[in-house]
Amino acid sequence: STPVSARRPPNGMLSELSFVQEAFPIPVYASRGAATGRGVLLCAFLVLSSTAGATTYYVNGTIGQDWFPGFQAAFPWRTIQHAANTMNAGDTCIVAPGTYAERVSVTRSGAEGAPITFKTSGDGVRVRGFDVEGSSTVRYVVIDGFEISTPLTWAWDVWSTGSGVALVNTQYCEVRNNYIHHTVREGIMV
């Protein structure tokens, strides 16, 4: 591997790669002749995102796409489940108002002082519920500000889906400021 140069082009304009190198001075390596231009930019982006601390992700069911980057309100994800599958300790997911016809399965853990947090950006965020459980104990997850109801058609397919929030094999999880109604089973199952 050889280091990729971050010199200015002769016309004085910044190329995509040189912008990344000047804004974020980290070494970027590419195999000889294998990666150029956008491939190297992607490599630099992946290195930056993997070394960063806690991240705030955005979800908007109206304008979002799950292939968007998700970490800017202008380029949000479409589903809360995509966020749940991506988030790590300390990350926050901010969900825009709207109706999300999904029951979110959370299997990842946060850490003490760095929970995985799902919260709303305002009133009127409706979901079908949350299942917080994993093959090992799921810890430090916060669910904050949602309106949760479980339609009858969803209530009996899996034992936990009749409840608004199912906390199974969990520790140190918080369910706060939610309006949970019209569930077939418990509002919060522990």
Side-chain angles (χ1 to χ4, degrees):
S1 294
T2 57
V4 176
S5 174
R7 292 188 205 129
R8 289 186 187 270
N11 63 5
M13 301 290 290
L14 288 175
S15 68
E16 291 174 349
L17 178 60
S18 60
F19 167 76
V20 169
Q21 283 291 313
E22 288 186 11
F24 308 101
I26 59 169
V28 177
Y29 292 91
S31 299
R32 268 187 214 277
T36 58
R38 293 190 192 282
V40 173
L41 180 62
L42 177 60
C43 177
F45 171 76
L46 293 175
V47 169
L48 288 171
S49 64
S50 68
T51 59
T55 303
T56 299
Y57 295 105
Y58 297 88
V59 172
N60 185 316
T62 304
I63 65 169
Q65 295 295 329
D66 284 344
W67 54 268
F68 282 173
F71 53 85
Q72 294 176 340
F75 297 101
W77 288 327
R78 179 175 294 273
T79 63
I80 305 166
Q81 186 62 57
H82 187 74
N85 294 343
T86 304
M87 295 169 69
N88 294 305
D91 290 349
T92 298
C93 173
I94 298 176
V95 183
T99 299
Y100 298 83
E102 60 182 304
R103 185 167 183 90
V104 182
S105 175
V106 181
T107 59
R108 295 172 174 241
S109 287
E112 185 174 0
I116 290 176
T117 302
F118 297 88
K119 68 181 187 176
T120 63
S121 65
D123 292 336
V125 179
R126 292 173 294 283
V127 298
R128 294 190 173 168
F130 286 85
D131 290 317
V132 182
E133 68 178 305
S135 56
S136 61
T137 303
V138 176
R139 296 178 173 93
Y140 300 104
V141 173
V142 176
I143 300 169
D144 186 2
F146 292 86
E147 180 180 343
I148 301 169
S149 64
T150 307
L152 285 173
T153 56
W154 276 52
W156 300 109
D157 57 349
V158 177
W159 67 275
S160 64
T161 59
S163 59
V165 177
L167 301 171
V168 180
N169 196 21
T170 61
Q171 291 180 331
Y172 314 111
C173 293
E174 297 179 37
V175 178
R176 59 185 182 215
N177 304 315
N178 297 288
Y179 173 45
I180 303 173
H181 61 94
H182 292 94
T183 61
V184 176
R185 296 182 55 134
E186 305 86 348
I188 302 171
M189 183 182 79
V190 181

